[in-house]
Amino acid sequence: MDYHPIDKYLKIDIFNEGLSKATIQSYSTRGMDSSKDDFIYIGIDKLQFLGLRTRLSFYEKMVEFYLMGYKNEYSIDNLKDKDNNIFFDSTDNKIQNSTIYTAGFNIDYTDDKIDPRVGVRFDYSIDYSKHKNSDDIDFYISNYNITGYIPIGDYSTWAFNYFRSDANVIKKGDTDVDSVSSSLGLDCSILTDIKDKIDCQNVVNNQIIANSNGTATSLGGRTRDLDHM
């Protein structure tokens, strides 16, 4: 839902999302080194996502400043191979949660906010991930997004987009294998199949790398559709 304390200038959005079950793909390594079939599925249980955004607009939304806060939590339910066969069923179901604060601005010099045909728009934001304890990584993310629109004929438009996201680490987090495994609720040592154990350990290793290097925003941006509304 949204609320307008000052019509046309100040808008507040509140949104909540909840899923009882979800599944995400997890590749064996972060980056471009893994092959397209080198992945497993992570079953997520009780995903909750709550957010609040304040947006201040000027010049008929051509210039906007915004502040956002996100809170999400979930637990890992199981691990499946790429054929959807469960090879690890979690009994701990430890809750994973994070809080992210975002500040940014965008400049929109297009002919239409919702359905542009010509022009350019630019968005810049900083995401700060609040750490809960001394073992958590302390970092922030810088996001840059620019899109240009060129009309082709009477009905078509070419859109060119450049998106960049950088994770900037202030302090590294927990990199101990046993400690990270426990925090995720993944005891890979109980697995007897070698491949299953490796796949399980890859999930832990990827979390360790994330605790060292941070995690930039996914390609396209986490709130791309929302930012264009």
Side-chain angles (χ1 to χ4, degrees):
M1 66 181 209
D2 60 271
Y3 173 63
H4 298 258
I6 304 176
D7 190 33
K8 297 182 180 181
Y9 291 100
L10 183 61
K11 176 182 178 183
I12 298 176
D13 297 304
I14 302 174
F15 41 94
N16 181 44
E17 184 176 86
L19 297 172
S20 57
K21 297 285 183 180
T23 303
I24 60 173
Q25 280 182 305
S26 175
Y27 285 84
S28 61
T29 59
R30 288 166 38 120
M32 302 297 292
D33 294 333
S34 56
S35 66
K36 64 177 183 178
D37 297 321
D38 192 11
F39 68 87
I40 63 172
Y41 293 107
I42 299 180
I44 303 298
D45 191 29
K46 298 178 181 177
L47 172 67
Q48 291 291 328
F49 182 83
L50 176 65
L52 184 146
R53 176 172 61 181
T54 300
R55 185 181 292 269
L56 187 61
S57 303
F58 300 98
Y59 307 111
E60 297 183 349
K61 298 185 178 181
M62 288 181 60
V63 178
E64 293 187 318
F65 300 89
Y66 56 88
L67 295 172
M68 291 183 279
Y70 299 91
K71 182 177 182 180
N72 65 80
E73 62 179 38
Y74 65 91
S75 61
I76 295 178
D77 185 35
N78 54 55
L79 303 179
K80 302 177 184 178
D81 61 28
K82 62 181 180 180
D83 297 318
N84 271 310
N85 299 310
I86 296 177
F87 64 86
F88 183 92
D89 205 347
S90 178
T91 56
D92 290 338
N93 293 108
K94 290 190 175 180
I95 300 297
Q96 312 295 316
N97 59 71
S98 62
T99 302
I100 300 174
Y101 300 106
T102 300
F105 70 91
N106 61 67
I107 300 173
D108 190 321
Y109 194 70
T110 61
D111 62 331
D112 190 282
K113 186 75 172 177
I114 302 299
D115 187 20
R117 292 208 66 221
V118 61
V120 62
R121 56 172 52 134
F122 172 76
D123 185 273
Y124 172 76
S125 65
I126 292 179
D127 298 344
Y128 177 70
S129 183
K130 181 181 179 182
H131 56 286
K132 301 179 292 296
N133 53 61
S134 59
D135 291 333
D136 289 340
I137 182 174
D138 190 7
F139 74 106
Y140 66 93
I141 304 171
S142 303
N143 298 308
Y144 309 82
N145 189 45
I146 184 169
T147 308
Y149 301 91
I150 301 176
I152 303 298
D154 295 330
Y155 302 103
S156 301
T157 300
W158 277 352
F160 298 89
N161 179 252
Y162 172 82
F163 178 81
R164 171 175 171 168
S165 183
D166 299 317
N168 307 277
V169 177
I170 301 172
K171 180 185 72 67
K172 292 185 177 183
D174 187 7
T175 57
D176 180 76
V177 174
D178 293 335
S179 177
V180 173
S181 298
S182 177
S183 68
L184 294 174
L186 296 176
D187 184 4
C188 302
S189 63
I190 66 174
L191 297 171
T192 57
D193 184 87
I194 295 178
K195 185 180 184 309
D196 291 344
K197 183 175 290 188
I198 292 175
D199 287 339
C200 178
Q201 192 60 53
N202 284 337
V203 177
V204 177
N205 292 338
N206 284 339
Q207 184 61 52
I208 291 175
I209 295 173
N211 289 347
S212 299
N213 302 330
T215 301
T217 305
S218 301
L219 182 63
R222 181 173 51 252
T223 59
R224 181 179 178 87
D225 291 336
L226 290 175
D227 288 339
H228 287 179
M229 293 179 65

